[in-house]
Every structure is written in structure tokens, then in C-alpha cells.
Amino acid sequence: MQVIKNYVEQNRQRFLDELFELLRFPSVSADPKYKGDVLKTAEFVALKLKEAGANQVEVCATDGYPIVYGEKIIDASLPTVLVYGHYDVQPPDPLELWHTPPFEPTLRDGKIFARGACDDKGQFYMHVKAFELMMQTETLPCNIKFMIEGEEEVGSDNLGLFVANNKERLKADVVLISDTSMISMENPSLETGLRGLAYMEVEVQGPNRDLHSGVYGGAVANPATILCQMIASLHDENNHITIPGFYENVLTLSEDERKALNDAPFDLEYYKKDLSVDDVWGETGYSTIERTGIRPTLEVNGIWGGYTGPGAKTVLPAKANAKISMRLVPGQDWRKISELFKNHFESIAPKSVKVSVTAHHGGTPYVTPVDSVAFKAAYKAIEESFGKEPVPTRGGGSIPIVALFEQELGIKTVLMGFGLDSDNLHSPNEKYDVFNYYKGIETIPLFYKHFTDLSK
Amino acid sequence: MQVIKNYVEQNRQRFLDELFELLRFPSVSADPKYKGDVLKTAEFVALKLKEAGANQVEVCATDGYPIVYGEKIIDASLPTVLVYGHYDVQPPDPLELWHTPPFEPTLRDGKIFARGACDDKGQFYMHVKAFELMMQTETLPCNIKFMIEGEEEVGSDNLGLFVANNKERLKADVVLISDTSMISMENPSLETGLRGLAYMEVEVQGPNRDLHSGVYGGAVANPATILCQMIASLHDENNHITIPGFYENVLTLSEDERKALNDAPFDLEYYKKDLSVDDVWGETGYSTIERTGIRPTLEVNGIWGGYTGPGAKTVLPAKANAKISMRLVPGQDWRKISELFKNHFESIAPKSVKVSVTAHHGGTPYVTPVDSVAFKAAYKAIEESFGKEPVPTRGGGSIPIVALFEQELGIKTVLMGFGLDSDNLHSPNEKYDVFNYYKGIETIPLFYKHFTDLSK
């Protein structure tokens, strides 16, 4: 542990400078205008893996953005850890709400503000630096492989094919990912599950052109009004989702499991205060922890239609659109849920409009086995690094690829994230605490040590 | 009549060229970026009034955009007509749906395509040219005054004060406006009423920042979802508006009046085909003509919130907004309706969000007396010009200033419009038929003749 602390101490500033360099690339995978920047980011990641000591480093082309691969095989008889991360980031919009520009990382109050600071550049780069540390201090106890992709924020469309075509190269004993959160640095936690995702886009078409709302208003279906009515109908008065069959295969937890989950430290008053809301919201009969952890949800991620500029325009818009995504829990299949959504949404459209529904992408929910060697190793690493046992939690987010690893490679994943829920992921002013960054770099080598020891 | 036809025939091309020149000014009053263009348009209108023969021409400054005034007093003992129009136009968005640019007027199939072609540049400019015609052919039978404003599309905020401060200058026997439609050129019609307007903007604020929809989704009220639920609740299953007190003072028509209204030529199948909709929509118990003419309505003019760019962003937005306007009928007061809306909308907000409601502008509904000299003169002018008696109709649109003229100047308005409902007012590809433009220029001098004769 002292070797680790010394190395981090000696390289403190450089570790931060390198992360800042990585954060300056606007690697937004959703928007084609950033294409050149996303590609440059992949090259940068490859270079840094090489510098840290990886062999066989390759920027692997796909039909979309490339996957960066690198490895260090010290002994084929030792266990192998496959590190997964992503170098792409969410769009920075709305730009006007950032206090400092999203792609000019800024240090403020011990926090790094930048798009991708936590999700996932700051987190996957801890692994690159922990790897360098183990190489430089000659403490790497097993084999390591890196697979850092560039399409996580848009559904990892090409990773599935890459994994299927590279089963031998990716062969490992566990997948290690830092792309999730802890409760706090005082209450370290370890995620035991992730929600799945089904992301849809809907369009309601009314008349074939925008109309004058005075001349036609009241006599022609307004697609914005109809879209609102359709969206409103997706939740009932208890905030249950009304799509027929939606809850059919949802795995329910035992009373004991629910109790354990609700025993995690959680301060509802602080939660509300942090978000400046007077009340929480959600499905009747479940706590906030349960609503985000073990229950499926449906959210409007975006809605638009008609005139949205300054002042007044008396238009009856020709169409209105929305992006709607559902978080899924174990038991639910995202392809089936996407289909149920599409059928239901089309079925509730009145005759006076036309509705089209397209699926963006999906992801399968995942639950980590808590009795595995890898989970135990992560548990011990955190305990040793933080001086406190981690609390097992269920994450509300989705890393769709986790279920794929199990299916294609037959291996489990450990979700050892060092972010915080308050890191503004996907929001303006995304941040990552400097403390967490260094803490992660210190904790990761301990995982390798315990994992190798426990595997013996 | 032959004198009129000859003059129009001899000046056909020039009349069109001048209108094109006027249409090239992007005089969008709602968007501050067009300020310079709006001001230039006022100067152009003043110049054209002067060239046509007006005296006392003045670009009258206001706290907003100027009002262009001009007059020709031939004999103080003769009646005076006050012509009102507006040189500002609606925003051209969405630009990508225009077949030719909105501010490069284009002639296609006998139609002039441009923003403002019909509303209201093409229509008020007919009056400038009809005035020129009467001056040049020495047939102006009475006094004429012009008041052409630049804020009609944003609520005529400064016209009220101008009218109040210029009562003597604006003294007249009738206001004549061409800013409405006819059923068709084969079925000429004359509007006997206009709906009022109350235009509101609402904002639903959820959490204090955009959130990750996985980490927080299902536990924090999504303002886009809540806004949809609130908007959906504004109509009941019969498409009645649910705001308490909304219908309280609505004047109802007798069965005979309703029958007369529904006797107007109207082809529902053509109406649906023209708009490419499979069904119309509206308040149960009323026909399409009634829904747009004598019943108040509520329309979403714009809605926005969250991520609206390409691809997927899993965000739970901090806020969502909508522009919502109501068309009002005689008996309803726009200030009271705005208040009722605000109170109701705020009252239905759940505790988990904060709602703010602001009023953009309003307008009072209006009914024209059909037994007045001016209405009879317009009726006769159309009958003579079109060879067919006009059908009395109720217009669905609003010209808020009409009620103000009555209140401040004590005079009635005649709504002699030559547009068509299919002119794409406030929409992409706004147009005005060349035929209607010339027909208007020919009909207007007949109004002056009959109005002067009938006033004797």
C-alpha cells in the first residue's frame, strides 16, 4: 500500500495533467460534427496505453467509432482481468448552463469540471494510470487487457460484433469496469446490479404543414397536444407504467432483500435539498432507493414541437416529437419492451394523427454475483483503501455491454465505480472530485492483488 | 369599373414588382435580430404612401416598432376611411420546409410565395395601390387615412397608446382592414367576427439541473412528463377546455344563427384531403365551421424540453416549457381568461415541480354589425367585383386591435380580406394568389364609391 501511495504522490500533477489533456477532446459520439475529435481521442488513448506499458496496442476499426485495445500478458497461467471503459462522452448541451466550457477542464474546489470528467474518461483513465503504477513498481500480479470503446453513449452498436469476432483475444476471467458511483467517500459502496435500457423516439404527425392556430385551431388535431396526452397516459395515478405487459417479467425482491437495500445510508432531506425539489416523485409503494435501483422506469428525455423562439407565434404545428427511454430491471428484455412500447404507443394514437416510433438502442439489465472471487476482491480492495466495508447497492444507470460480456465471453463483470450521484453525469457542469480520481488509482492495484491471491 | 380595370391592366407588372420589393424585407417583429430590417420596412411603406399621393406621411416612433401614417383629405364634410394594416411578419421557421426562401418572393403557378405574401403585406399593399389608382384616375370619393403598424404579430403593444394619443388625427367613420380570408374566389365571403386571443408561456421547473435519467429516473419528477400531464388535463374527453370559468361568459348563438353559419359552402372531405389528415378533431357537438368560428379553443403553439439533438441522451431535464394560446369568442375577456389560465395551471402543478406562467399578449373578440353603412358598402363592392353576393362568415383568427379602435375611436371595423385559408399563414410556404392581389385592388375602390354614396 505504501508503494502505491508513494508512486501516486510522486506523479500527482502529471496524472492530473494527462487527464486534462484527455478531457479537452470533445469526443461526443451522438453528434456527427464531432467525428474528427472522437477519432483523435481514440489515438490519444492508444498512445497512453502504450506509454503505460501495454503491448499489442491497436485502434481497431469498426463500422462506427474504433475500439482501443491493449494488453500485458505476464504469465498465461495467471488470471486475466479485462478492463472496459469508454472514451466517448454525452453531448454538452445545454451549453449556456455550464459555468466553465465543457471541453476546457477546470479545477474548482477540488473538483474537475468537464464533460466526461466522471463519465467515463476520469474513471477509465484511473485504470491506465494504475496499470502504469503496477508496471513501474513491478507489482502487476496478473495479466491485464484493455478494451476502451467510443460508442457507449450511443448504444455500443459495434462492440457486440467486435466482441463476437475477438473472443480469443478478449479471453479473461473477469471484466472490471469503473463507470458507476459510490454513495459517498465516507460511505464507500459497490454496485451489485445495473438497470437495462430501451430508448425510443416518437413522432406525432398532424396536418401536412404548420397551420395558423386561429384559422384551424380547435378543428384540427394539434400534434403537440396529442403527444402530451399520449405521454401523460403512459403513467397512471400511482405512477405505474401503463404499457400492457411492461411489468410481466420483472423480478421482485424478497422482503429481506428490500430491507437490506433500504438499509444503505440515504438522507431524503439532503437528496431533496441537493436537487432543490420540494418533493420526490415515483411509483407508489417503493422508496427512492428502490425506485432507482430495482424498479423499471419511463422518462421523457426530450420533447419538441412548434415555435420555440422568443415571443409569440400562433402556429398549430405539423408535428411534435419526443425521446422517451425506459430503464429496465432483471427479467425484462429490452427488445421485447421496445416492441411493447411501439405497439402500445401506436395503438393509443387517435385517428386524427399519424404516429411513428423508432428504437434508438437498448441494454440488458444485470446483476453481479456477490459470491464470486472478483466481487470479493473488489470488496476487500475498497475495504483496505477506504478503511471501511463497502455497502452493496443497485445502480440506476445502464451499461448495456455488461450483459453482452457474459453472453459472448462467458465472464462476469465487477462494477467498481468511484463517481458520485452528484457528479452531474449527462448534465451541465459534470465533475469528478480530484480526491476520487487519486483514490481510484490507489484502490485498483489492491483489486489486482486480492483477485490474484483469491484466485489461487 | 372599366376605369379601374384599365388602370390595373396598365400597371400590372409594376404593382407586382413593388409588392416583391416589400416582401424582400425580413420584417420579423418577434425576433430582435431583424430589428434593422423592420425599421427599413417602415421607411419603405412611408415612401410608397407618399408616392401614391398621401400627405402628412410620417414614420411615427413608439416604444417598439414605428407606425406609418399618411392621409388624403379632399373635403372635411365627406366621410373618412381609416385603413389599418401591418408591415411586420411572423418568423419564417422552420426554414427547411420552405421550397423557396421566405424573403425571396417567388412566382409559381400564379401564386406569390413569401413570408407576408398574404399576412399582411400583400393585403395592405392592395390598399396603397387602390389609393394610387383613385388618385391617378381622379376617382377618390372621400377622405382616406392610413395607419400601418409593425407589431401586429407580437400583440400590437404600442398601438394602443398611439391611438389614444392621436384621436384627432385618426378621426374617421370606419376602419377598413384586409387581413382575413374568403372561402374561395368562386365563393366570396365577408367576415362578421373575429376571435380574441390570450397567449401564455409556461415553464415547469423540476430539479435544479439536468440529471442522469438512470441515476435519478423514477425518483424525481421529470418536468417534461409533468408538463405533458398538465397540458393533457386542459381538455376533457369531449375536448372541452377544463379551466374553471373558461366558458362562463361565452355568447351562444341561436339555432338560426348556427344554421346560417353552417350553410356556408364547406367541403369536409376536401378540407381533410388538403391537410392530409384522416379525421378532424375538436369539441363534441360542434361542426368544423363552428369550432373555428364561434367556439373558444386552446392550442399548444410550441413545446420544448431536454435533449432534442440527434441520437440519444439519457437526461432527465431540469425544466420544460410550452407556449399555449387560447382563441376567444364574444363575451370572453382576454385579461380575465389569462388570469383564469394562470391560476388553474399553477393550481394543478404537483408539489414536486415549480410552475411559472407568463402572459404574452391578448386581444378582444369582435363582431361586426352587419346593418352598418360600411358593412353594406363592402358587401356591395364584393358583389359588383365578383358578380356574386358574399357569404357572411366568422373568422377564427384574431386582430386584437379591432376592439381597441371601437373603444378608443368609437368606430366600427369592416374586415374585407382577400386571402384564402390555404395561404399557409404563419407556416412555411406562405402564399398569396396573384389573382386575389389584383382582385383586391379592383374591389377596394368600389368600397369607397358605395361607402360614400350610402353615407349621403
Side-chain angles (χ1 to χ4, degrees), chain A residues 90 93 195 199 208-210 214 218-219 222 275-276 281 299-301 303 305 309 311 313-315 323 424 426-427, chain B residues 90 93 195 199 208-210 214 218-219 222 275-276 299-301 303 305 309 311 313-315 323 424 426-427:
Chain A
Q90 281 274 317
D93 317 64
R195 291 198 284 188
Y199 200 111
N208 52 16
R209 58 185 187 272
D210 281 2
N222 181 324
L275 300 172
S276 311
W281 178 100
E299 295 293 336
V300 177
N301 304 113
I303 186 167
K313 187 178 180 210
T314 47
V315 66
K323 292 176 196 274
N424 296 332
H426 297 203
S427 310
Chain B
Q90 282 273 317
D93 319 59
R195 291 199 283 189
Y199 200 112
N208 52 16
R209 58 186 187 271
D210 281 2
N222 181 324
L275 300 171
S276 311
E299 296 293 335
V300 177
N301 304 113
I303 186 166
K313 185 178 180 209
T314 47
V315 66
K323 293 177 195 274
N424 297 332
H426 298 204
S427 310

Side-chain angles (χ1 to χ4, degrees), chain B residues 273-305:
Chain B
K273 206 180 146 196
D274 175 49
L275 300 171
S276 311
V277 294
D278 290 338
D279 203 358
V280 291
W281 177 100
E283 196 181 357
T284 304
Y286 294 91
S287 69
T288 293
I289 287 180
E290 290 174 325
R291 286 167 175 172
T292 56
I294 60 165
R295 296 297 293 173
T297 58
L298 182 149
E299 296 293 335
V300 177
N301 304 113
I303 186 166
W304 66 102

Side-chain angles (χ1 to χ4, degrees), chain A residues 2-69:
Chain A
Q2 200 51 50
V3 175
I4 297 172
K5 279 193 176 290
N6 288 348
Y7 191 84
V8 170
E9 198 50 51
Q10 284 152 19
N11 294 281
R12 237 180 136 71
Q13 189 58 44
R14 181 172 59 81
F15 282 1
L16 201 61
D17 291 346
E18 289 180 16
L19 175 59
F20 273 41
E21 211 176 330
L22 176 60
L23 290 170
R24 283 193 194 99
F25 291 95
S27 51
V28 180
S29 50
D31 192 337
K33 79 175 177 204
Y34 294 103
K35 190 175 177 185
D37 299 299
V38 182
L39 295 173
K40 275 183 213 154
T41 316
E43 294 294 340
F44 179 83
V45 172
L47 176 72
K48 290 293 157 185
L49 275 179
K50 225 176 275 176
E51 287 177 1
N55 300 325
Q56 315 292 339
V57 174
E58 184 185 343
V59 176
C60 310
T62 73
D63 281 350
Y65 287 119
I67 291 155
V68 183
Y69 179 83

Side-chain angles (χ1 to χ4, degrees), chain B residues 64-104:
Chain B
Y65 287 118
I67 291 156
V68 183
Y69 180 82
E71 62 177 37
K72 184 71 192 182
I73 309 297
I74 57 170
D75 181 342
S77 69
L78 286 171
T80 301
V81 175
L82 174 60
V83 176
Y84 164 85
H86 63 94
Y87 63 82
D88 65 323
V89 298
Q90 282 273 317
D93 319 59
L95 278 172
E96 67 277 14
L97 295 184
W98 285 79
H99 301 312
T100 48
F103 299 110
E104 288 176 23

